[in-house]
Amino acid sequence: MHTADVSSYFQPGGSLSRILPGYEHRPQQLELAAGIERALRQGEIGIFEAGTGTGKSFAYLIPAARFAIERGRPVVVSTYTISLQEQLVNKDIPVVRRLFPELRAVLVKGWSNYICRLRLDAALRSPGELIDASIGDSLLRLAAWAESTSDGTRSDLSFEPPPSLWEEVCAESDGCLKADCPHYSGCPIFRDRMAMVGAHLLIVNHHLLFADLAVRRELGWETEQAVLPGYDAVVLDEAHHVEDAAGEYLGRALSSAGVAQLFSRLQRQRQGRRSGVLPAIEAALERRLGDEACEEALVTLRTESAGILHSAHGAVGRFLESAGSFAAPQGDAARDASAFRITPELKAEWLGRVAGPAGEAAALVDRLAGQLQHFRKLLEEGEDGPDHALLARIDAARRRLSNLSRALGEFTDLDFENLVYWIERAPKAASPARLVSAPIDVGPHVLEWIEHQCEALVLTSATLAVNGSFEYTRRRLGLWGASEIAGRLSVRERLIESPFDYGERAVLGLVSDLPDPNERAFREELPEALFHLVTASDGRALVLFTSYALLAAAERALRDRLEALGFALFVQGEAPRSRILARFREGGRSILFGTDSFWEGVDVPGDALSLVIVTRLPFDVPTDPLASARAERIRSRGGSPFHEYTLPRAALKLKQGFGRLIRTQSDRGAVVLCDRRAQTKPYGKYFLDSLPKCRLVTGAARRVADEVRRFLSDRIPSPPAT
């Protein structure tokens, strides 16, 4: 039993200072830790914004470890980004374990991260039946790795296998035989699942957490088939992503690529050779010639199944083609949009187009799933014992066909009261990339989860409050307006300022001589402003865009000019994100152009990053289907969509972008906003008041650039070490 007050770990001369060289006492970290400790022990919903540099990880890991050890029940710690997960597991938890040697913490990964030895063995025995022979060399390398790895997950691989190969040999929850599998005793996924039993901290990501929520909602909150073991308390870091993560797993997506992959798993042909589940079943039935039932099934498979598969694939394709062409008659704007919303007013027209193809496709898909179930039963009853790997593949294929049939039904039996539906496709393309549904309001689902699963819940992030208020976050998650949630959990909120001295170490520049971003001239004049700014900082700049089109236009206008001056320009999409960031962190005269994913999770301390440029205020695209549906819902109850949703959402994202600049006590630099609306529109003050208070510089791009150059050339002492 750890009876010491939580403050004893964070005070000067406390436990952390004795085991961490250079530990800095931060009152803000202690304040956060004390608040989280109270939320866990009192059974509260604690909402904490803690500015950059607070030291959030230790502030929640230490109270969570104490609570879990004393209660004997796990605390789930969920993050959004992989980089934060890795920091917790590799850097922070080993330190916490020095304080609590009995602490058991487990990193929980999704099934598809693991190798499945049963599926691997099946691929090795009959490579032509299940995978293309062209990737045979990679299969052999994968098999050699599987014999030597103690980890068993993809992150342990020293090479990148072809995606189609990994998809055939990775673990799948819907095709796993569990204890009936001959490899069960040495299976890495069940080794790690067993490690979860008795663990104090379960380190997950938001997607895995809400995948668990979705399974529990469908199968019952006490189901043994859930992704995670039972838990009572949850800490959500990077909690500003909770609404989006929950919505993704409480909706539905049906893509032409996913459908093609499913039918390709069942049967595909390459260089005259058939492979997939159906050819594997055929080979298994051929080995049982003499068994009358198997011989009849073989005839059925050869004369019917392949034809049904072909017809089903075609019917689903016709459904998707009908969906993809649905927006075309609606006008040029809709035809050119990447996402087209299916509104209640369009329901009759939508059903007139797609109900027939969807019904035909569902009937064929169900028929094929029924045949797979029949084949499975025959192969399971053989005298020589079942081929477990093949049975697992049949199970997985059958379940996925059933899910496809269910999705076809859901996209014709539309629930506009609770869901928004849209079509995603490339501009001008004839067929959609995806059909998507998502809940308009995730609040009721979050409340249901809290009621059944959470005795305490902590949400923390550097960006949860806007202008000192948590109203936006609480409204979006269903936590607004009640003194107690689920009839028992009170809500406690706290805003903890960053310990960084932004007034001394940061400048905010506002460019005033560019056109309004909604004018065509903005795209034409922006590159010149960017050129003056990034040369003023001698590179070392992160330029954040709100669209790839604007990024691409700026790159075309500037790359040659910048490279001629010796700058290195890194652009999102030209290499994996991690590789781009690694090269940018190396320092030098580097400039990075990024869109959405670079607004957060970019941690570049020191001189490698001295300037962050925000090209325009990060409002959602007005035609975004989910944003427009949520705006309509707010309007229907008499609220203001702009002030309740659009504006605070954009302000939080701007705070994320600003937070890329100062990462340590000694960092200094400038953030420049090129959107004149921050100065000319009434809501501009709302954005500026949401940012940390620092020196403000306004004017033409050249003047702002000169001020940035002057500020960066002035050296101020670093704060003293403590």
Side-chain angles (χ1 to χ4, degrees), residues 628-703:
S628 62
R630 288 173 173 167
E632 290 172 8
R633 177 61 54 86
I634 294 169
R635 192 178 296 112
S636 70
R637 57 172 172 75
S640 166
F642 182 75
H643 289 96
E644 288 185 29
Y645 181 74
T646 305
L647 187 57
R649 183 174 171 89
L652 287 177
K653 187 160 186 177
L654 181 62
K655 284 177 68 174
Q656 282 288 340
F658 186 100
R660 299 313 96 212
L661 180 67
I662 305 295
R663 306 303 297 175
T664 70
Q665 291 277 14
S666 60
D667 284 355
R668 63 194 307 267
V671 175
V672 175
L673 179 57
C674 295
D675 192 330
R676 66 184 299 175
R677 292 176 296 180
Q679 303 170 72
T680 62
K681 297 293 184 181
Y683 56 74
K685 187 175 185 299
Y686 184 94
F687 280 101
L688 300 182
D689 287 347
S690 296
L691 299 176
K693 298 299 182 285
C694 55
R695 177 185 166 197
L696 187 64
V697 174
T698 63
R702 286 178 179 269
R703 178 179 183 275

Side-chain angles (χ1 to χ4, degrees), residues 128-130 264-268 274-281:
E129 292 176 5
L130 295 170
S264 177
R265 282 187 169 204
L266 289 166
Q267 181 169 282
R268 56 188 173 273
R274 293 164 58 239
S275 60
V277 174
L278 285 184
I281 293 173

Side-chain angles (χ1 to χ4, degrees), residues 411-445:
F411 282 110
T412 50
D413 184 17
L414 304 176
D415 176 15
F416 287 113
E417 179 64 26
N418 297 302
L419 300 170
V420 58
Y421 302 86
W422 70 91
I423 305 163
E424 290 181 357
R425 56 187 173 83
K428 313 283 187 185
S431 60
R434 295 200 309 166
L435 281 173
V436 186
S437 70
I440 299 172
D441 184 2
V442 304
H445 304 287

Side-chain angles (χ1 to χ4, degrees), residues 13-36:
S15 302
L16 276 175
S17 68
R18 291 195 295 270
I19 64 173
L20 273 182
Y23 172 74
E24 298 177 358
H25 166 66
R26 284 164 280 185
Q28 298 87 349
Q29 186 181 47
L30 175 54
E31 182 183 358
L32 177 59
I36 291 173

